[in-house]
Amino acid sequence: MKGSHEPRSSSSCAACRSLKRRCTPTCIFAPYFRSDEPKKFAQVHKVFGASNVSKILTEVPEDQRADTVNSLAYEAEARLRDPVYGCIGAIAMLERKMIQLQHDLAIARARLVCDAPKNSPSSSSSCFSCCPMLHEDTFSGFPAWSGLNGNNFSQNASELISQHGQTSDFSYSSYTL
């Protein structure tokens, strides 16, 4: 539950330990930077500074402080990973990936619509005539189109995945705009 905190042990919190000061019972950092999370405070301190974090925490209502600290920790980690773009780089990369996947989905839906009235696989080669927007030149640079042509619209999903790999790979190491 958000407003309550675990009872503190006698050891200093990660913030006071990092700042080399005595941790008091009223320490504003103690509920959010436990002694077993020194990296979390070190990253937040490096990016925002202990004084600024203290000011932020005192201005935020107590029931929202845990979320605030989690947000600061995420932003600090992203900023240290990508000093130029930080969180915005991650957001931009995910938005580009989402647009690409939406485009791939639109192509797949158009293929289904185009292929639905046909009963035999031999007649699927005329899909370009019923759906002129699916011309090869239009989508040649997109993963859902690569290697496919009008003659193999009837491939099933498992064949496409085995042939082209999954398209939902979010494991990019760096963010570029």
Side-chain angles (χ1 to χ4, degrees):
M1 109 177 104
K2 287 193 176 180
S4 64
H5 307 290
E6 298 175 10
R8 291 188 45 206
S9 63
S10 60
S11 66
S12 295
C13 67
C16 291
R17 188 174 286 172
S18 174
L19 299 172
K20 297 181 176 146
R21 66 180 191 192
R22 187 171 178 269
C23 192
T24 63
T26 60
C27 176
I28 194 157
F29 297 119
Y32 313 105
F33 298 103
R34 298 187 328 253
S35 60
D36 62 340
E37 300 176 317
K39 185 178 177 184
K40 180 179 176 181
F41 178 76
Q43 290 177 334
V44 170
H45 175 57
K46 186 173 186 175
V47 173
F48 298 106
S51 177
N52 290 331
V53 173
S54 175
K55 289 175 189 175
I56 290 170
L57 290 177
T58 55
E59 292 176 6
V60 171
E62 192 170 344
D63 63 327
Q64 296 177 0
R65 288 181 185 170
D67 291 335
T68 302
V69 169
N70 288 337
S71 178
L72 289 171
Y74 177 77
E75 289 180 39
E77 183 180 338
R79 182 61 61 181
L80 291 172
R81 194 173 346 127
D82 184 357
V84 176
Y85 296 110
C87 291
I88 300 302
I91 292 167
M93 186 270 303
L94 290 172
E95 284 178 343
R96 279 193 313 273
K97 188 69 173 177
M98 183 182 68
I99 290 168
Q100 178 185 5
L101 291 172
Q102 286 173 339
H103 187 268
D104 292 349
L105 180 62
I107 292 171
R109 284 182 176 160
R111 287 180 185 164
L112 287 173
V113 167
C114 193
D115 205 26
K118 297 168 182 51
N119 293 330
S120 67
S122 61
S123 64
S124 66
S125 63
S126 64
C127 188
F128 291 130
S129 62
C130 77
C131 300
M133 68 174 239
L134 288 178
H135 194 271
E136 284 184 66
D137 297 336
T138 308
F139 301 112
S140 62
F142 291 93
W145 188 263
S146 62
L148 301 178
N149 59 38
N151 296 326
N152 59 359
F153 278 127
S154 61
Q155 287 183 329
N156 64 32
S158 61
E159 289 174 344
L160 287 173
I161 289 173
S162 66
Q163 184 180 8
H164 299 289
Q166 291 194 350
T167 59
S168 61
D169 180 21
F170 290 102
S171 60
Y172 292 98
S173 59
S174 63
Y175 314 118
T176 56
L177 291 178

